[in-house]
mmCIF file of all heavy atoms in Angstrom:
data_model
loop_
_atom_site.group_PDB
_atom_site.id
_atom_site.type_symbol
_atom_site.label_atom_id
_atom_site.label_comp_id
_atom_site.label_asym_id
_atom_site.label_seq_id
_atom_site.Cartn_x
_atom_site.Cartn_y
_atom_site.Cartn_z
ATOM 1 N N GLU A 103 -8.851 -14.963 -9.714
ATOM 2 C CA GLU A 103 -9.089 -15.092 -8.274
ATOM 3 C C GLU A 103 -8.575 -16.436 -7.767
ATOM 4 O O GLU A 103 -8.024 -16.533 -6.683
ATOM 5 C CB GLU A 103 -10.581 -14.936 -7.980
ATOM 6 C CG GLU A 103 -10.895 -14.828 -6.512
ATOM 7 C CD GLU A 103 -12.346 -14.488 -6.241
ATOM 8 O OE1 GLU A 103 -13.024 -13.946 -7.130
ATOM 9 O OE2 GLU A 103 -12.789 -14.772 -5.118
ATOM 10 N N ALA A 104 -8.724 -17.480 -8.602
ATOM 11 C CA ALA A 104 -8.250 -18.812 -8.206
ATOM 12 C C ALA A 104 -6.729 -18.817 -8.049
ATOM 13 O O ALA A 104 -6.200 -19.422 -7.114
ATOM 14 C CB ALA A 104 -8.675 -19.850 -9.238
ATOM 15 N N GLU A 105 -6.016 -18.129 -8.955
ATOM 16 C CA GLU A 105 -4.557 -18.079 -8.854
ATOM 17 C C GLU A 105 -4.125 -17.341 -7.592
ATOM 18 O O GLU A 105 -3.176 -17.747 -6.921
ATOM 19 C CB GLU A 105 -3.963 -17.378 -10.082
ATOM 20 C CG GLU A 105 -4.016 -18.198 -11.353
ATOM 21 C CD GLU A 105 -3.545 -17.409 -12.568
ATOM 22 O OE1 GLU A 105 -3.912 -16.226 -12.712
ATOM 23 O OE2 GLU A 105 -2.801 -18.000 -13.374
ATOM 24 N N VAL A 106 -4.823 -16.255 -7.267
ATOM 25 C CA VAL A 106 -4.494 -15.487 -6.065
ATOM 26 C C VAL A 106 -4.731 -16.336 -4.828
ATOM 27 O O VAL A 106 -3.907 -16.373 -3.912
ATOM 28 C CB VAL A 106 -5.306 -14.173 -6.014
ATOM 29 C CG1 VAL A 106 -5.124 -13.476 -4.679
ATOM 30 C CG2 VAL A 106 -4.900 -13.251 -7.151
ATOM 31 N N ARG A 107 -5.861 -17.063 -4.798
ATOM 32 C CA ARG A 107 -6.153 -17.920 -3.648
ATOM 33 C C ARG A 107 -5.148 -19.054 -3.509
ATOM 34 O O ARG A 107 -4.737 -19.406 -2.411
ATOM 35 C CB ARG A 107 -7.571 -18.473 -3.746
ATOM 36 C CG ARG A 107 -8.588 -17.411 -3.471
ATOM 37 C CD ARG A 107 -9.968 -17.940 -3.416
ATOM 38 N NE ARG A 107 -10.868 -16.794 -3.235
ATOM 39 C CZ ARG A 107 -12.120 -16.889 -2.950
ATOM 40 N NH1 ARG A 107 -12.657 -18.066 -2.801
ATOM 41 N NH2 ARG A 107 -12.859 -15.822 -2.806
ATOM 42 N N GLN A 108 -4.727 -19.624 -4.654
ATOM 43 C CA GLN A 108 -3.726 -20.690 -4.613
ATOM 44 C C GLN A 108 -2.406 -20.145 -4.070
ATOM 45 O O GLN A 108 -1.752 -20.788 -3.254
ATOM 46 C CB GLN A 108 -3.506 -21.280 -6.006
ATOM 47 C CG GLN A 108 -2.448 -22.376 -6.028
ATOM 48 C CD GLN A 108 -2.159 -22.882 -7.426
ATOM 49 O OE1 GLN A 108 -2.761 -22.444 -8.390
ATOM 50 N NE2 GLN A 108 -1.218 -23.800 -7.539
ATOM 51 N N GLU A 109 -2.027 -18.943 -4.511
ATOM 52 C CA GLU A 109 -0.796 -18.321 -4.026
ATOM 53 C C GLU A 109 -0.877 -18.066 -2.520
ATOM 54 O O GLU A 109 0.081 -18.314 -1.791
ATOM 55 C CB GLU A 109 -0.574 -17.005 -4.771
ATOM 56 C CG GLU A 109 0.787 -16.405 -4.590
ATOM 57 C CD GLU A 109 0.983 -15.201 -5.478
ATOM 58 O OE1 GLU A 109 1.149 -15.375 -6.695
ATOM 59 O OE2 GLU A 109 0.966 -14.088 -4.927
ATOM 60 N N GLU A 110 -2.036 -17.603 -2.049
ATOM 61 C CA GLU A 110 -2.227 -17.378 -0.613
ATOM 62 C C GLU A 110 -2.118 -18.681 0.162
ATOM 63 O O GLU A 110 -1.521 -18.734 1.238
ATOM 64 C CB GLU A 110 -3.580 -16.723 -0.351
ATOM 65 C CG GLU A 110 -3.657 -15.272 -0.755
ATOM 66 C CD GLU A 110 -5.055 -14.684 -0.576
ATOM 67 O OE1 GLU A 110 -6.008 -15.444 -0.290
ATOM 68 O OE2 GLU A 110 -5.182 -13.462 -0.745
ATOM 69 N N SER A 111 -2.687 -19.751 -0.399
ATOM 70 C CA SER A 111 -2.633 -21.061 0.249
ATOM 71 C C SER A 111 -1.192 -21.555 0.344
ATOM 72 O O SER A 111 -0.768 -22.071 1.380
ATOM 73 C CB SER A 111 -3.479 -22.061 -0.535
ATOM 74 O OG SER A 111 -3.330 -23.351 -0.023
ATOM 75 N N GLU A 112 -0.424 -21.377 -0.737
ATOM 76 C CA GLU A 112 0.973 -21.786 -0.735
ATOM 77 C C GLU A 112 1.773 -20.988 0.293
ATOM 78 O O GLU A 112 2.620 -21.544 0.996
ATOM 79 C CB GLU A 112 1.580 -21.623 -2.129
ATOM 80 C CG GLU A 112 1.050 -22.615 -3.145
ATOM 81 C CD GLU A 112 1.467 -22.297 -4.570
ATOM 82 O OE1 GLU A 112 2.180 -21.288 -4.795
ATOM 83 O OE2 GLU A 112 1.078 -23.044 -5.474
ATOM 84 N N LEU A 113 1.498 -19.690 0.391
ATOM 85 C CA LEU A 113 2.194 -18.857 1.373
ATOM 86 C C LEU A 113 1.850 -19.288 2.798
ATOM 87 O O LEU A 113 2.723 -19.338 3.664
ATOM 88 C CB LEU A 113 1.861 -17.383 1.163
ATOM 89 C CG LEU A 113 2.495 -16.719 -0.054
ATOM 90 C CD1 LEU A 113 1.944 -15.311 -0.239
ATOM 91 C CD2 LEU A 113 4.007 -16.685 0.091
ATOM 92 N N SER A 114 0.583 -19.606 3.045
ATOM 93 C CA SER A 114 0.184 -20.082 4.373
ATOM 94 C C SER A 114 0.894 -21.381 4.727
ATOM 95 O O SER A 114 1.348 -21.565 5.856
ATOM 96 C CB SER A 114 -1.330 -20.291 4.428
ATOM 97 O OG SER A 114 -1.995 -19.084 4.339
ATOM 98 N N SER A 115 0.995 -22.274 3.749
ATOM 99 C CA SER A 115 1.678 -23.544 3.969
ATOM 100 C C SER A 115 3.152 -23.312 4.301
ATOM 101 O O SER A 115 3.700 -23.941 5.206
ATOM 102 C CB SER A 115 1.554 -24.422 2.726
ATOM 103 O OG SER A 115 2.297 -25.599 2.862
ATOM 104 N N LEU A 116 3.773 -22.392 3.581
ATOM 105 C CA LEU A 116 5.180 -22.077 3.855
ATOM 106 C C LEU A 116 5.350 -21.481 5.249
ATOM 107 O O LEU A 116 6.316 -21.808 5.961
ATOM 108 C CB LEU A 116 5.726 -21.112 2.803
ATOM 109 C CG LEU A 116 5.997 -21.708 1.419
ATOM 110 C CD1 LEU A 116 6.360 -20.609 0.428
ATOM 111 C CD2 LEU A 116 7.106 -22.748 1.494
ATOM 112 N N HIS A 117 4.420 -20.629 5.666
ATOM 113 C CA HIS A 117 4.478 -20.043 7.009
ATOM 114 C C HIS A 117 4.373 -21.121 8.074
ATOM 115 O O HIS A 117 5.107 -21.097 9.069
ATOM 116 C CB HIS A 117 3.381 -18.993 7.202
ATOM 117 C CG HIS A 117 3.681 -17.686 6.562
ATOM 118 N ND1 HIS A 117 4.603 -16.801 7.061
ATOM 119 C CD2 HIS A 117 3.181 -17.113 5.442
ATOM 120 C CE1 HIS A 117 4.666 -15.741 6.285
ATOM 121 N NE2 HIS A 117 3.810 -15.901 5.284
ATOM 122 N N ARG A 118 3.466 -22.082 7.867
ATOM 123 C CA ARG A 118 3.322 -23.173 8.827
ATOM 124 C C ARG A 118 4.608 -23.994 8.913
ATOM 125 O O ARG A 118 5.059 -24.357 9.995
ATOM 126 C CB ARG A 118 2.144 -24.066 8.458
ATOM 127 C CG ARG A 118 0.788 -23.468 8.811
ATOM 128 C CD ARG A 118 -0.326 -24.491 8.679
ATOM 129 N NE ARG A 118 -0.446 -25.049 7.342
ATOM 130 C CZ ARG A 118 -1.154 -24.500 6.347
ATOM 131 N NH1 ARG A 118 -1.813 -23.370 6.551
ATOM 132 N NH2 ARG A 118 -1.211 -25.067 5.176
ATOM 133 N N LYS A 119 5.211 -24.291 7.757
ATOM 134 C CA LYS A 119 6.458 -25.062 7.743
ATOM 135 C C LYS A 119 7.581 -24.294 8.435
ATOM 136 O O LYS A 119 8.364 -24.876 9.188
ATOM 137 C CB LYS A 119 6.853 -25.411 6.311
ATOM 138 C CG LYS A 119 5.965 -26.467 5.684
ATOM 139 C CD LYS A 119 6.348 -26.755 4.257
ATOM 140 C CE LYS A 119 5.384 -27.772 3.637
ATOM 141 N NZ LYS A 119 5.684 -28.019 2.228
ATOM 142 N N LEU A 120 7.664 -22.990 8.187
ATOM 143 C CA LEU A 120 8.687 -22.181 8.851
ATOM 144 C C LEU A 120 8.486 -22.160 10.361
ATOM 145 O O LEU A 120 9.453 -22.242 11.122
ATOM 146 C CB LEU A 120 8.688 -20.757 8.305
ATOM 147 C CG LEU A 120 9.364 -20.559 6.945
ATOM 148 C CD1 LEU A 120 9.147 -19.135 6.451
ATOM 149 C CD2 LEU A 120 10.847 -20.867 7.036
ATOM 150 N N ASP A 121 7.244 -22.057 10.794
ATOM 151 C CA ASP A 121 6.956 -22.103 12.233
ATOM 152 C C ASP A 121 7.391 -23.435 12.834
ATOM 153 O O ASP A 121 7.961 -23.482 13.926
ATOM 154 C CB ASP A 121 5.463 -21.870 12.497
ATOM 155 C CG ASP A 121 5.043 -20.430 12.262
ATOM 156 O OD1 ASP A 121 5.917 -19.534 12.264
ATOM 157 O OD2 ASP A 121 3.825 -20.200 12.086
ATOM 158 N N GLN A 122 7.127 -24.508 12.107
ATOM 159 C CA GLN A 122 7.505 -25.841 12.574
ATOM 160 C C GLN A 122 9.031 -25.957 12.673
ATOM 161 O O GLN A 122 9.559 -26.469 13.657
ATOM 162 C CB GLN A 122 6.947 -26.901 11.620
ATOM 163 C CG GLN A 122 7.169 -28.325 12.070
ATOM 164 C CD GLN A 122 6.574 -29.318 11.087
ATOM 165 O OE1 GLN A 122 6.324 -28.991 9.916
ATOM 166 N NE2 GLN A 122 6.350 -30.524 11.550
ATOM 167 N N ILE A 123 9.732 -25.456 11.662
ATOM 168 C CA ILE A 123 11.198 -25.503 11.673
ATOM 169 C C ILE A 123 11.739 -24.666 12.827
ATOM 170 O O ILE A 123 12.688 -25.070 13.510
ATOM 171 C CB ILE A 123 11.761 -25.016 10.310
ATOM 172 C CG1 ILE A 123 11.439 -26.041 9.223
ATOM 173 C CG2 ILE A 123 13.264 -24.757 10.396
ATOM 174 C CD1 ILE A 123 11.731 -25.556 7.816
ATOM 175 N N GLN A 124 11.117 -23.514 13.072
ATOM 176 C CA GLN A 124 11.553 -22.655 14.173
ATOM 177 C C GLN A 124 11.377 -23.365 15.512
ATOM 178 O O GLN A 124 12.263 -23.317 16.363
ATOM 179 C CB GLN A 124 10.778 -21.340 14.165
ATOM 180 C CG GLN A 124 11.223 -20.380 15.252
ATOM 181 C CD GLN A 124 10.454 -19.071 15.205
ATOM 182 O OE1 GLN A 124 9.512 -18.910 14.458
ATOM 183 N NE2 GLN A 124 10.881 -18.141 16.042
ATOM 184 N N ARG A 125 10.240 -24.027 15.700
ATOM 185 C CA ARG A 125 10.011 -24.765 16.955
ATOM 186 C C ARG A 125 11.040 -25.886 17.115
ATOM 187 O O ARG A 125 11.567 -26.110 18.206
ATOM 188 C CB ARG A 125 8.590 -25.324 16.993
ATOM 189 C CG ARG A 125 7.535 -24.283 17.331
ATOM 190 C CD ARG A 125 6.199 -24.924 17.634
ATOM 191 N NE ARG A 125 5.651 -25.694 16.521
ATOM 192 C CZ ARG A 125 4.922 -25.197 15.526
ATOM 193 N NH1 ARG A 125 4.635 -23.913 15.505
ATOM 194 N NH2 ARG A 125 4.463 -25.966 14.569
#
Side-chain angles (χ1 to χ4, degrees):
E103 189 172 338
E105 287 174 317
V106 172
R107 287 186 184 191
Q108 179 184 358
E109 192 173 286
E110 287 176 351
S111 174
E112 290 170 0
L113 287 173
S114 292
S115 175
L116 286 173
H117 282 286
R118 283 191 301 274
K119 288 178 183 177
L120 282 173
D121 288 340
Q122 185 179 20
I123 291 170
Q124 182 179 7
R125 282 192 299 274

